[in-house]
Amino acid sequence: MSRLTVPDHQIGSPTFAINIVVRPSPDVMQALVALQDRIEALAPAGIFHRAPAPTLHLSIFQLVWARTQHVAIGPQEWLGLEADTFTALQALAPRYEPFLLHQGQVQVGDKAIYLQFSPSAAMDRLRDEIEHHARDRFPGRHRPQIQHITLFRYQQAVPLAPLAHGCAQLPPWQQAWSIEQMELGQETAYPLLASRTVGNLALGSSET
């Protein structure tokens, strides 16, 4: 039996999650939207939940994951942790210089279509330290294992193979993306369709 896509019926639902993400720069955002247009043309209308451009993001770390199956903190507990967490991340971020993500490929999964970038040692080191700081306070944390941006989720269950075949014909992503700033935020509608920014965190020295 051929694999089918898995519709995501949680999109837009209220949620509580705490995320550290990177938002695309304007030139990367423009290229991502163009890529979405090409992918959307590969399937009949109504198949996809297209991630709106303002919500596109690369997840660095989820301190509280919207999909966690573990005991996690709640909104009231977060209020007591927010200021200290942001202060700790402000101290951490300058120790890591900006780095590049490049050379990506569109991947078609049963739950999403996403752009996956090549492995990054710099990203791994950054995630290592965030995880070290989060280990005791955030039992619901989630560490992504790859570098990716989700472009589409699904509205309908359709055969996966034709989508995968079509996306395999797309050229590899070659546009370099300089990761210079992270955003700490509270997600209020899944998946980051609505969120409250706690603050931004610049990588590298602040000296000019």
Side-chain angles (χ1 to χ4, degrees):
M1 183 176 179
S2 61
R3 291 174 62 194
L4 300 178
T5 59
V6 178
D8 192 335
H9 300 302
Q10 296 185 41
I11 290 178
S13 299
T15 192
F16 170 74
I18 304 299
N19 306 298
I20 303 170
V21 304
V22 178
R23 302 288 185 178
S25 60
D27 60 325
V28 172
M29 175 77 78
Q30 184 177 16
L32 289 170
V33 170
L35 179 59
Q36 286 181 306
D37 290 342
R38 295 188 67 176
I39 295 171
E40 199 161 34
L42 297 174
I47 299 297
F48 295 132
H49 280 294
R50 176 171 174 156
T55 73
L56 290 170
H57 65 279
L58 184 149
S59 291
I60 300 288
F61 207 96
Q62 283 107 4
L63 296 176
V64 179
W65 194 24
R67 290 183 171 274
T68 187
Q69 300 298 312
H70 305 287
V71 176
I73 69 168
Q76 291 303 313
E77 189 173 358
W78 169 244
L79 291 178
L81 293 172
E82 181 176 291
D84 286 347
T85 300
F86 183 62
T87 298
L89 292 171
Q90 278 185 309
L92 176 157
R95 300 203 297 271
Y96 292 83
E97 293 301 319
F99 57 93
L100 293 179
L101 292 181
H102 53 89
Q103 297 181 337
Q105 186 67 54
V106 172
Q107 305 290 339
V108 178
D110 56 358
K111 295 182 180 179
I113 296 177
Y114 55 95
L115 175 63
Q116 180 175 342
F117 298 93
S118 297
S120 167
M123 177 74 81
D124 289 341
R125 289 192 297 270
L126 182 58
R127 285 173 169 163
D128 284 345
E129 185 158 359
I130 292 173
E131 186 161 35
H132 175 75
H133 282 272
R135 187 174 294 119
D136 294 332
R137 290 189 171 186
F138 296 98
R141 67 189 181 278
H142 175 253
R143 174 183 175 145
Q145 298 304 309
I146 59 174
Q147 289 67 243
H148 74 286
I149 291 184
T150 298
L151 303 173
F152 295 94
R153 291 173 175 82
Y154 302 112
Q155 295 192 63
Q156 299 178 24
V158 299
L160 196 67
L163 291 176
H165 177 75
C167 287
Q169 311 308 309
L170 297 171
W173 176 276
Q174 298 289 349
Q175 184 167 342
W177 177 13
S178 180
I179 305 300
E180 301 175 355
Q181 179 174 270
M182 304 183 294
E183 174 186 300
L184 175 65
Q186 177 182 337
E187 181 180 357
T188 58
Y190 170 82
L192 274 181
L193 295 177
S195 60
R196 176 181 68 86
T197 299
V198 176
N200 293 304
L201 305 150
L203 298 180
S205 173
S206 60
E207 296 178 2
T208 57

